[in-house]
Amino acid sequence: MFEWNSDNKASNSLWFAFCHQMDQLNTNFDDSSDLKMNDLTFYNPLLSSTELNATASIIAVQLDNIFINSNGAFYENNVNKIKAISDMVAVLVDSNKTVKELAAVIDNDYKFWHEV
Amino acid sequence: MKKYQFVLIWFFISVSMFGQDAISGSNLNNLINKTKTVFQDDVQVEAVVNGIIDNPDLYNNLWEQFIKQASLNNGTTWKFLNDLNIKFKNFQNTENSFTSLGFTYDFDFNYAKSIESGHNSISHSFGLTAKGNVAFNKKLNTSNLIETNINYDFTYYSGGVVENSDTAIFTKLDVIRAKLAKIKDQHSKEALSLLDEYGKFCILSTQYYCGISPKFGFESNQDFTKKQFIPGVTIDLGVKAWNKKDLLAQLNILDYPFAILRLITGIDDNFTPYGSTLPIAEFTFNYVIPTNDSTRKSLTGNINPFPRIKFETGFRTIISRVEKENIFFSTDFRYYYEINAPQTIKDLKLNNQLYVVAALQSTSGLYVSYAYGKLPFDAKNDEVYSIGFNCKLF
């Protein structure tokens, strides 16, 4: 069972990217786990599904960029860039999914720097 | 196609690919021989055998074994079969009690490849989906529609973050993130100091995005006497200035009024337009096949297909935060243009339609919205808000 806590690399990497690098949320770590996708800045409910999907893809690609190129993460076995991004997009376009649920998907697909 | 022909062809393929022992067609022969020992009369035997042949479970079991043997014998060649679901069943219409053996199929194949080159990333993905119902007696097919769709997506990304390969920096950034995650007030001196330190080692850059998605759909009945081709292509163009110091972020004038509100309400410590909210532009070319459009039929006398171009862009940004409530401003702009529209459609100015909607929304779901214009009839399902002011709690 995935747990949202500040020592979990997927949790704090996602929160930091959303809060301080991508302007998606402005809450502290503890208050961010239960935020839903439609609480994030990118999630414009007025968009058509195709445009929302494109927007979510950009967010997922930037998260992947940050994790791999800046944070030193790499993909878990049997995971590649396309799968990792596709998994994140599937959560990002679902208005009822939470930040914690997105972190769980990220935790499955990435091995973070110094992750035990 | 007669079911006997189908069974023979299938057995031939199965035996030639995997050997006779692999497929349990011999079980059927054994059953026939045993039946002959019970029933002396050939007519009775034929009736029993026909009953077995008409049973969908027989084919479902054979298909299951076929898939199993295929994956055991040559997993790579027949790997695509894992994406193919076939279910045999009996078809029966409501007019009489006759049934017909047949099958329903659902094929969903996806292939994707990503190519990295410096700061650029290109990915191709190909998808083929097909689904339909085939009855061996087509008159009894109550769902006589076969749909086939081919999707291809091309995406190009560039930039986003300056690449780092120093493992000591990875460790340093990892420690800072963990410290910041434990701080309640992200505007505190301690947090700001850590963020300054982080910014020295992690530099974000402007990200460019281009996506092209042609779509080719084909619909027909099972003998292809009625068919229609549904082409379309969508092009998305986007840019995100993730670094707030980037000139592009500073030039995001759409966000200026909201940057002022964020400064006044204390979300931001300085006037900071967000480059992350730069809108995406989407262009779509569609070949629209109207169904159920009584308005169009009354105006043009028919509901013939027609080509149409659509442009869409949207914008969303945060305005303020009150207690645990975020207040967002969202807007969406769509323009539809029908190519070579009939004169009656042009006279009523229905060949170009504009739809704009803007909304103030809070995290708990409270919203106020205003919409202008109309969506084309076939896109009504996309309509989120009606004209006027709405207040809705959900």
Side-chain angles (χ1 to χ4, degrees):
Chain A
M1 184 72 181
F2 177 79
E3 276 190 37
W4 176 266
N5 72 65
S6 58
D7 293 322
N8 175 275
K9 308 288 183 189
S11 304
N12 73 37
S13 295
L14 175 63
W15 167 77
F16 186 84
F18 271 174
C19 184
H20 293 298
Q21 297 178 300
M22 296 171 70
D23 310 317
Q24 295 304 311
L25 53 82
N26 50 24
T27 45
N28 64 40
F29 181 85
D30 291 338
D31 293 340
S32 300
S33 69
D34 295 331
L35 290 178
K36 292 185 174 174
M37 291 302 117
N38 59 7
D39 296 329
L40 304 178
T41 310
F42 84 91
Y43 196 101
N44 182 347
L46 307 179
L47 296 180
S48 64
S49 58
T50 52
E51 180 134 344
L52 180 63
N53 209 65
T55 307
S57 294
I58 291 179
I59 296 292
V61 167
Q62 180 62 356
L63 283 172
D64 180 82
N65 261 335
I66 290 171
F67 297 156
I68 300 292
N69 296 325
S70 165
N71 296 7
F74 43 95
Y75 302 111
E76 294 279 5
N77 289 337
N78 301 319
V79 175
N80 57 26
K81 187 184 186 80
I82 288 175
K83 179 183 174 353
I85 289 170
S86 163
D87 288 349
M88 286 191 281
V89 169
V91 177
L92 287 163
V93 296
D94 187 338
S95 60
N96 287 315
K97 294 280 186 188
T98 63
V99 170
K100 180 183 171 181
E101 286 172 296
L102 179 60
V105 166
I106 290 167
D107 197 41
N108 280 335
D109 285 351
Y110 293 89
K111 180 93 173 161
F112 284 90
W113 191 250
H114 285 173
E115 184 179 332
V116 181
Chain B
M1 187 192 286
K2 296 278 185 266
K3 59 178 174 281
Y4 301 103
Q5 291 172 319
F6 176 77
V7 171
L8 281 171
I9 290 168
W10 187 2
F11 277 13
F12 174 76
I13 293 170
S14 305
V15 168
S16 60
M17 299 311 277
F18 308 120
Q20 195 160 7
D21 292 340
I23 296 296
S24 61
S26 56
N27 293 345
L28 190 61
N29 291 329
N30 291 338
L31 188 61
I32 292 168
N33 291 332
K34 281 180 185 170
T35 309
K36 280 183 175 174
T37 61
V38 178
F39 301 102
Q40 299 301 315
D41 185 352
D42 280 353
V43 177
Q44 285 179 312
V45 172
E46 192 179 341
V48 171
V49 171
N50 279 341
I52 294 166
I53 287 176
D54 282 337
N55 186 350
D57 289 343
L58 170 70
Y59 305 101
N60 285 323
N61 289 334
L62 285 169
W63 177 251
E64 199 178 313
Q65 290 190 37
F66 178 80
I67 296 285
K68 269 185 195 169
Q69 289 300 328
S71 60
L72 285 173
N73 286 25
N74 194 340
T76 311
T77 309
W78 297 90
K79 196 179 173 186
F80 74 94
L81 288 175
N82 292 328
D83 299 314
L84 174 62
N85 293 312
I86 287 187
K87 180 81 177 169
F88 290 88
K89 63 181 186 180
N90 279 323
F91 289 81
Q92 182 178 21
N93 65 22
T94 53
E95 291 165 9
N96 53 51
S97 60
F98 296 121
T99 61
S100 168
L101 185 68
F103 61 91
T104 177
Y105 68 92
D106 183 348
F107 182 64
D108 189 357
F109 172 77
N110 287 291
Y111 169 81
K113 187 175 183 183
S114 174
I115 303 161
E116 304 278 335
S117 171
H119 296 294
N120 304 325
S121 172
I122 290 172
S123 71
H124 304 270
S125 65
F126 171 78
L128 172 63
T129 57
K131 58 184 176 182
N133 292 284
V134 177
F136 295 124
N137 180 350
K138 68 179 181 184
K139 288 177 185 168
L140 297 176
N141 191 347
T142 51
S143 324
N144 193 358
L145 179 68
I146 287 173
E147 292 177 64
T148 309
N149 287 291
I150 298 173
N151 301 311
Y152 168 77
D153 288 322
F154 165 87
T155 50
Y156 165 82
Y157 289 95
S158 174
V161 67
V162 175
E163 196 171 339
N164 191 0
S165 56
D166 187 338
T167 56
I169 290 177
F170 290 154
T171 304
K172 193 171 186 67
L173 296 179
D174 184 47
V175 170
I176 296 175
R177 280 194 303 273
K179 281 183 183 172
L180 275 162
K182 291 181 170 61
I183 298 173
K184 294 282 179 200
D185 181 5
Q186 294 295 308
H187 295 274
S188 67
K189 275 188 180 176
E190 185 189 3
L192 294 175
S193 167
L194 287 167
L195 284 169
D196 276 349
E197 186 73 4
Y198 201 95
K200 289 175 190 166
F201 301 103
C202 177
I203 300 163
L204 299 177
S205 63
T206 297
Q207 181 185 26
Y208 298 91
Y209 165 76
C210 173
I212 302 172
S213 312
K215 290 183 174 64
F216 303 97
F218 181 75
E219 291 179 0
S220 77
N221 58 357
Q222 74 172 62
D223 57 6
F224 300 101
T225 51
K226 292 177 185 172
K227 49 187 176 286
Q228 60 189 23
F229 183 55
I230 313 164
V233 61
T234 300
I235 299 170
D236 288 294
L237 299 171
V239 57
K240 296 287 177 189
W242 298 112
N243 191 332
K244 294 186 179 73
K245 292 175 184 168
D246 194 291
L247 178 64
L248 207 54
Q250 302 294 324
L251 292 175
N252 185 11
I253 53 171
L254 282 174
D255 203 34
Y256 278 20
F258 310 105
I260 293 169
L261 289 171
R262 285 195 296 268
L263 177 63
I264 293 168
T265 56
I267 285 193
D268 290 334
D269 299 324
N270 302 299
F271 172 77
T272 315
Y274 291 171
S276 58
T277 62
L278 283 163
I280 294 174
E282 184 174 274
F283 302 88
T284 305
F285 174 82
N286 270 130
Y287 187 64
V288 181
I289 298 169
T291 53
N292 236 354
D293 191 342
S294 55
T295 309
R296 190 174 180 90
K297 191 169 184 180
S298 67
L299 291 172
T300 64
N302 60 60
I303 49 171
N304 291 342
F306 58 90
R308 188 177 64 202
I309 294 170
K310 175 192 161 196
F311 169 75
E312 180 180 357
T313 189
F315 171 77
R316 175 159 142 125
T317 193
I318 186 165
I319 299 174
S320 182
R321 183 169 174 81
V322 182
E323 294 296 321
K324 291 195 171 181
E325 287 282 302
N326 282 335
I327 315 290
F328 292 102
F329 173 79
S330 307
T331 185
D332 184 46
F333 172 96
R334 296 184 209 184
Y335 176 72
Y336 297 83
Y337 178 73
E338 182 179 334
I339 300 166
N340 290 330
Q343 195 57 45
T344 46
I345 296 287
K346 283 182 184 170
D347 292 344
L348 290 166
K349 295 183 178 172
L350 291 173
N351 59 323
N352 52 55
Q353 287 174 284
L354 179 71
Y355 179 72
V356 184
V357 58
L360 286 175
Q361 301 163 297
S362 76
T363 311
S364 64
L366 187 72
Y367 71 83
V368 180
S369 75
Y370 175 74
Y372 170 81
K374 279 185 180 177
L375 285 171
F377 182 84
D378 61 288
K380 285 284 181 192
N381 288 340
D382 294 337
E383 196 165 34
V384 182
Y385 300 91
S386 57
I387 296 171
F389 290 91
N390 302 290
C391 187
K392 180 185 170 191
L393 282 166
F394 57 87

